[in-house]
Structures are given as structure tokens and as C-alpha cells.
Amino acid sequence: RDSYITLTIMKVNNIMDIDKPAMVDVIFNNLKQDLNKILPSYRNDDRIICCMCGRLLRKDQFSLEHIIPQQALKKDIRDSKSIPKNTRAGLTLLCKQPLKIRGKKVSELGCNAWKGKHYDKKIASFLQNQNFNKMDVSNIISIFSTCFIAMFSVFGYKAVFTHDGIICRRQFFSPDKFRRDIPEFSQIILAGSSPEKLTVDNQKYWSSPFYFFEKLCGNKLFCSVSIRHVAMVLPLTQSFSLNIRPVLPWMPSHRIMRPDFTPLFS
């Protein structure tokens, strides 16, 4: 993990009891530092790119997003609530600017409201072990999209600007049907059950709710993403473990990141 990610987690955990704008500032500033590594020409720009729609926006055009929705946290066991809510949820920023497709508004408050409308209730229900027998494709897509947002919250823009990153972002805006370019292995959920007690052995279940494991299968790289007791496999263009530099006099082709900054929405 990049040092900025560790710094972000430390800073956010230290301001859990401070007002929400302070958390937004910390996350925004660290995302800005990360973006500057990939887009050095934007160092003097006061905007960052929304990880889902790809629009370049100011800080006041973003809102704080609990990756695991707050309605799911309410059902956490009592002992786990000694761990700060924002730690149990995971935090990032999503835009709150109106989304338009061909001039037609599809979300009044951007990607944040889109996630809340289409996914949060289904994610909460699934994490509470309530709907294993009543799942449909939309439930699976809700977990898929949340896994991608979790991946962005930890690995930053490396997860966004690649070929597979764009595929996952487009799926976010198709809540009821998997797109044809989503691999079959990424349409399956693996699920266990939530611990009934807080112990020393399972404390990380709440304090570090996301887990990532990269694997090469044949010539295809993928990343297993776990959110608590639920896991999915997401396609991965390039390993997050590589120290990728976008500009060097010479670099092996397989280590060159070719970022695509195309916005998905107007």
C-alpha cells in the first residue's frame, strides 16, 4: 500500500470525534496527492476526479461516503460499537453533483445519491444475513460495486484509470443487469456469516472491514475483495503491488500505467 493510504487511515481514525468537514478535508487532500502522482499537470488545480463518474470536481462538490452503509452498522453487535462507526464502515468521497445522460438528469446528488438509492439497502440486508435465499442479480451487483469502491478507498486512483477500472465503474451505473464485459467469475458471491461476539481474534472483522488478495489465473489478473464476510472477484488490469510510475525515460511495457481519464457522465 502507498504511504499516503496509511497516512489517510491514521488521520481519519484520529478525527473520528471531530466534525464531518474535517474528515472530508483529510480524505480530499490525500486523494489530491494521489491524483497528482498520475496527473502532475494538475498540481495547481484545486479539483479531484470522482472515482465513479470520472468528473473533475471541487471539494465542495463531494460528500463523505460510508462504504458499508450506516443502516448496516446499526445492526452490528453491541461490543463492536466500541470501534468507531467510521472505522467499521470505511470512508471515501463520492460526488454530489447532478448526473446527466444525454441531457437527462439521472441523479440529483450525483454518485453518492446513486449508491444510496440503488445499493445501500441491499448491501445492509445482505451483511445482516437477511436475504441469502432471496438474492437476485441486483443484490450481487450491489456487492460488486461496493467492492470496487472499497478497492478505490485503499488503493486510490490506480483502481480507477485502467481498462478494468472503467469496466467496473460502468457497472456501477447498471444496477439491475450485469454488463457483457464483466467476466463470469466476477458475478459470483462467496459469503460466510458474521461473528456473534467480539474477540481478540475477530476484532479486525470490524476494525479492518476490507481485505484484498491478488491472483494470476492463466494470463488474467484478478483481485479477490472481501467486505466483512462477503467476497467477490474483480477483474484487475494491473497489480496494485507494483510501484507504477506514469513517466520514465524507459520502462518495461507491462509496468507502464496507461491511464484513461474519460468521464463516464456529463
Short mmCIF file of all heavy atoms in Angstrom, two decimals, residues 41-69:
data_model
loop_
_atom_site.label_atom_id
_atom_site.label_comp_id
_atom_site.label_asym_id
_atom_site.label_seq_id
_atom_site.Cartn_x
_atom_site.Cartn_y
_atom_site.Cartn_z
N SER A 41 0.35 17.53 -14.16
CA SER A 41 -0.05 18.82 -14.71
C SER A 41 -1.20 19.46 -13.94
O SER A 41 -1.50 20.64 -14.13
CB SER A 41 -0.45 18.66 -16.18
OG SER A 41 -1.53 17.76 -16.31
N TYR A 42 -1.86 18.69 -13.06
CA TYR A 42 -2.98 19.21 -12.28
C TYR A 42 -2.58 19.59 -10.85
O TYR A 42 -3.44 19.77 -9.99
CB TYR A 42 -4.12 18.19 -12.24
CG TYR A 42 -4.99 18.22 -13.46
CD1 TYR A 42 -4.55 17.67 -14.66
CD2 TYR A 42 -6.25 18.81 -13.44
CE1 TYR A 42 -5.34 17.70 -15.80
CE2 TYR A 42 -7.05 18.84 -14.56
CZ TYR A 42 -6.58 18.28 -15.74
OH TYR A 42 -7.37 18.31 -16.88
N ARG A 43 -1.28 19.72 -10.61
CA ARG A 43 -0.82 20.02 -9.25
C ARG A 43 -1.40 21.33 -8.73
O ARG A 43 -1.63 21.48 -7.53
CB ARG A 43 0.71 20.07 -9.20
CG ARG A 43 1.36 18.71 -9.37
CD ARG A 43 2.87 18.80 -9.16
NE ARG A 43 3.50 17.51 -9.41
CZ ARG A 43 3.57 16.53 -8.53
NH1 ARG A 43 3.03 16.69 -7.33
NH2 ARG A 43 4.17 15.38 -8.84
N ASN A 44 -1.60 22.29 -9.60
CA ASN A 44 -2.11 23.60 -9.18
C ASN A 44 -3.62 23.71 -9.31
O ASN A 44 -4.19 24.78 -9.09
CB ASN A 44 -1.44 24.71 -10.00
CG ASN A 44 0.05 24.78 -9.76
OD1 ASN A 44 0.52 24.57 -8.63
ND2 ASN A 44 0.81 25.07 -10.81
N ASP A 45 -4.27 22.61 -9.65
CA ASP A 45 -5.72 22.58 -9.76
C ASP A 45 -6.30 22.18 -8.40
O ASP A 45 -5.75 21.33 -7.71
CB ASP A 45 -6.15 21.56 -10.82
CG ASP A 45 -7.57 21.79 -11.31
OD1 ASP A 45 -8.47 21.85 -10.45
OD2 ASP A 45 -7.78 21.89 -12.53
N ASP A 46 -7.40 22.83 -8.01
CA ASP A 46 -7.99 22.54 -6.69
C ASP A 46 -9.09 21.50 -6.77
O ASP A 46 -9.94 21.42 -5.89
CB ASP A 46 -8.52 23.83 -6.05
CG ASP A 46 -9.65 24.46 -6.87
OD1 ASP A 46 -9.90 24.00 -8.00
OD2 ASP A 46 -10.28 25.41 -6.36
N ARG A 47 -9.07 20.66 -7.81
CA ARG A 47 -10.12 19.67 -8.00
C ARG A 47 -9.52 18.25 -8.01
O ARG A 47 -8.33 18.06 -8.23
CB ARG A 47 -10.86 19.92 -9.32
CG ARG A 47 -11.58 21.26 -9.37
CD ARG A 47 -12.13 21.53 -10.78
NE ARG A 47 -11.05 21.72 -11.74
CZ ARG A 47 -11.24 21.89 -13.05
NH1 ARG A 47 -12.48 21.87 -13.54
NH2 ARG A 47 -10.22 22.06 -13.86
N ILE A 48 -10.40 17.27 -7.77
CA ILE A 48 -10.03 15.87 -7.92
C ILE A 48 -11.08 15.20 -8.80
O ILE A 48 -12.13 15.79 -9.10
CB ILE A 48 -9.91 15.12 -6.58
CG1 ILE A 48 -11.26 15.07 -5.87
CG2 ILE A 48 -8.84 15.74 -5.70
CD1 ILE A 48 -11.28 14.15 -4.64
N ILE A 49 -10.82 13.97 -9.19
CA ILE A 49 -11.72 13.23 -10.06
C ILE A 49 -12.59 12.29 -9.23
O ILE A 49 -12.08 11.56 -8.38
CB ILE A 49 -10.93 12.45 -11.12
CG1 ILE A 49 -10.24 13.42 -12.08
CG2 ILE A 49 -11.83 11.48 -11.90
CD1 ILE A 49 -9.32 12.77 -13.09
N CYS A 50 -13.89 12.32 -9.48
CA CYS A 50 -14.78 11.37 -8.81
C CYS A 50 -14.44 9.96 -9.27
O CYS A 50 -14.33 9.71 -10.48
CB CYS A 50 -16.24 11.69 -9.11
SG CYS A 50 -17.41 10.49 -8.40
N CYS A 51 -14.31 9.05 -8.33
CA CYS A 51 -13.84 7.70 -8.67
C CYS A 51 -14.83 6.91 -9.50
O CYS A 51 -14.47 5.91 -10.12
CB CYS A 51 -13.51 6.92 -7.39
SG CYS A 51 -14.94 6.59 -6.33
N MET A 52 -16.11 7.32 -9.55
CA MET A 52 -17.10 6.56 -10.28
C MET A 52 -17.47 7.22 -11.61
O MET A 52 -17.35 6.61 -12.67
CB MET A 52 -18.36 6.35 -9.44
CG MET A 52 -18.10 5.61 -8.12
SD MET A 52 -17.09 4.11 -8.26
CE MET A 52 -18.14 3.08 -9.25
N CYS A 53 -17.90 8.47 -11.59
CA CYS A 53 -18.32 9.11 -12.86
C CYS A 53 -17.16 9.71 -13.63
O CYS A 53 -17.28 9.97 -14.83
CB CYS A 53 -19.39 10.16 -12.58
SG CYS A 53 -18.81 11.58 -11.62
N GLY A 54 -16.02 9.96 -12.96
CA GLY A 54 -14.84 10.45 -13.65
C GLY A 54 -14.81 11.94 -13.89
O GLY A 54 -13.94 12.43 -14.62
N ARG A 55 -15.72 12.69 -13.26
CA ARG A 55 -15.73 14.14 -13.46
C ARG A 55 -14.72 14.83 -12.55
O ARG A 55 -14.52 14.42 -11.40
CB ARG A 55 -17.13 14.70 -13.22
CG ARG A 55 -18.14 14.24 -14.23
CD ARG A 55 -19.53 14.77 -13.92
NE ARG A 55 -20.04 14.28 -12.64
CZ ARG A 55 -21.19 14.68 -12.10
NH1 ARG A 55 -21.92 15.58 -12.72
NH2 ARG A 55 -21.59 14.17 -10.95
N LEU A 56 -14.12 15.91 -13.03
CA LEU A 56 -13.17 16.71 -12.27
C LEU A 56 -13.95 17.76 -11.49
O LEU A 56 -14.59 18.64 -12.08
CB LEU A 56 -12.17 17.36 -13.22
CG LEU A 56 -10.90 17.98 -12.63
CD1 LEU A 56 -10.04 16.92 -11.94
CD2 LEU A 56 -10.11 18.69 -13.72
N LEU A 57 -13.93 17.67 -10.14
CA LEU A 57 -14.81 18.49 -9.32
C LEU A 57 -14.07 19.08 -8.12
O LEU A 57 -13.05 18.56 -7.68
CB LEU A 57 -15.99 17.65 -8.82
CG LEU A 57 -16.89 17.04 -9.90
CD1 LEU A 57 -17.82 16.01 -9.28
CD2 LEU A 57 -17.67 18.11 -10.63
N ARG A 58 -14.64 20.16 -7.57
CA ARG A 58 -14.09 20.81 -6.38
C ARG A 58 -14.46 20.04 -5.11
O ARG A 58 -15.37 19.21 -5.12
CB ARG A 58 -14.60 22.25 -6.26
CG ARG A 58 -14.32 23.15 -7.46
CD ARG A 58 -14.79 24.57 -7.15
NE ARG A 58 -16.16 24.59 -6.66
CZ ARG A 58 -17.24 24.64 -7.45
NH1 ARG A 58 -17.11 24.67 -8.76
NH2 ARG A 58 -18.45 24.68 -6.92
N LYS A 59 -13.79 20.39 -4.02
CA LYS A 59 -14.05 19.72 -2.75
C LYS A 59 -15.50 19.89 -2.31
O LYS A 59 -16.11 18.93 -1.80
CB LYS A 59 -13.11 20.26 -1.67
CG LYS A 59 -13.30 19.61 -0.31
CD LYS A 59 -12.20 19.99 0.66
CE LYS A 59 -12.18 21.47 0.94
NZ LYS A 59 -11.13 21.85 1.89
N ASP A 60 -16.09 21.07 -2.50
CA ASP A 60 -17.47 21.29 -2.06
C ASP A 60 -18.49 20.54 -2.91
O ASP A 60 -19.67 20.52 -2.58
CB ASP A 60 -17.79 22.79 -2.05
CG ASP A 60 -17.74 23.40 -3.45
OD1 ASP A 60 -16.75 23.16 -4.18
OD2 ASP A 60 -18.68 24.12 -3.81
N GLN A 61 -18.04 19.88 -3.98
CA GLN A 61 -18.92 19.10 -4.83
C GLN A 61 -18.87 17.61 -4.49
O GLN A 61 -19.45 16.79 -5.19
CB GLN A 61 -18.55 19.33 -6.30
CG GLN A 61 -18.79 20.77 -6.75
CD GLN A 61 -18.29 21.04 -8.16
OE1 GLN A 61 -17.12 20.78 -8.47
NE2 GLN A 61 -19.16 21.55 -9.01
N PHE A 62 -18.19 17.29 -3.39
CA PHE A 62 -18.11 15.92 -2.89
C PHE A 62 -18.76 15.83 -1.52
O PHE A 62 -18.86 16.82 -0.79
CB PHE A 62 -16.65 15.46 -2.78
CG PHE A 62 -15.98 15.17 -4.09
CD1 PHE A 62 -15.33 16.19 -4.78
CD2 PHE A 62 -16.01 13.91 -4.65
CE1 PHE A 62 -14.72 15.94 -6.00
CE2 PHE A 62 -15.40 13.64 -5.86
CZ PHE A 62 -14.75 14.66 -6.54
N SER A 63 -19.18 14.64 -1.16
CA SER A 63 -19.67 14.39 0.19
C SER A 63 -19.06 13.10 0.72
O SER A 63 -18.65 12.22 -0.05
CB SER A 63 -21.20 14.32 0.23
OG SER A 63 -21.68 13.33 -0.64
N LEU A 64 -19.01 12.99 2.03
CA LEU A 64 -18.44 11.82 2.67
C LEU A 64 -19.34 10.61 2.45
O LEU A 64 -20.55 10.70 2.56
CB LEU A 64 -18.29 12.09 4.17
CG LEU A 64 -17.42 11.14 4.98
CD1 LEU A 64 -15.96 11.30 4.58
CD2 LEU A 64 -17.60 11.43 6.47
N GLU A 65 -18.73 9.49 2.11
CA GLU A 65 -19.49 8.27 1.85
C GLU A 65 -19.04 7.14 2.77
O GLU A 65 -17.85 6.82 2.84
CB GLU A 65 -19.32 7.83 0.40
CG GLU A 65 -19.96 6.51 0.05
CD GLU A 65 -21.47 6.50 0.24
OE1 GLU A 65 -22.10 7.57 0.10
OE2 GLU A 65 -22.02 5.42 0.52
N HIS A 66 -19.98 6.58 3.52
CA HIS A 66 -19.71 5.37 4.29
C HIS A 66 -19.85 4.19 3.33
O HIS A 66 -20.93 3.93 2.81
CB HIS A 66 -20.70 5.23 5.45
CG HIS A 66 -20.49 6.25 6.53
ND1 HIS A 66 -21.02 7.52 6.46
CD2 HIS A 66 -19.79 6.18 7.70
CE1 HIS A 66 -20.67 8.18 7.55
NE2 HIS A 66 -19.93 7.40 8.31
N ILE A 67 -18.76 3.49 3.09
CA ILE A 67 -18.77 2.41 2.10
C ILE A 67 -19.71 1.30 2.53
O ILE A 67 -20.55 0.84 1.76
CB ILE A 67 -17.34 1.89 1.87
CG1 ILE A 67 -16.45 3.05 1.37
CG2 ILE A 67 -17.33 0.75 0.85
CD1 ILE A 67 -14.98 2.72 1.32
N ILE A 68 -19.57 0.84 3.76
CA ILE A 68 -20.60 -0.01 4.35
C ILE A 68 -21.67 0.93 4.90
O ILE A 68 -21.38 1.76 5.77
CB ILE A 68 -20.04 -0.89 5.48
CG1 ILE A 68 -18.99 -1.86 4.92
CG2 ILE A 68 -21.15 -1.66 6.18
CD1 ILE A 68 -18.30 -2.70 5.97
N PRO A 69 -22.89 0.90 4.38
CA PRO A 69 -23.89 1.91 4.75
C PRO A 69 -24.20 1.93 6.24
O PRO A 69 -24.12 0.91 6.93
CB PRO A 69 -25.12 1.50 3.93
CG PRO A 69 -24.87 0.10 3.50
CD PRO A 69 -23.40 -0.09 3.43
#
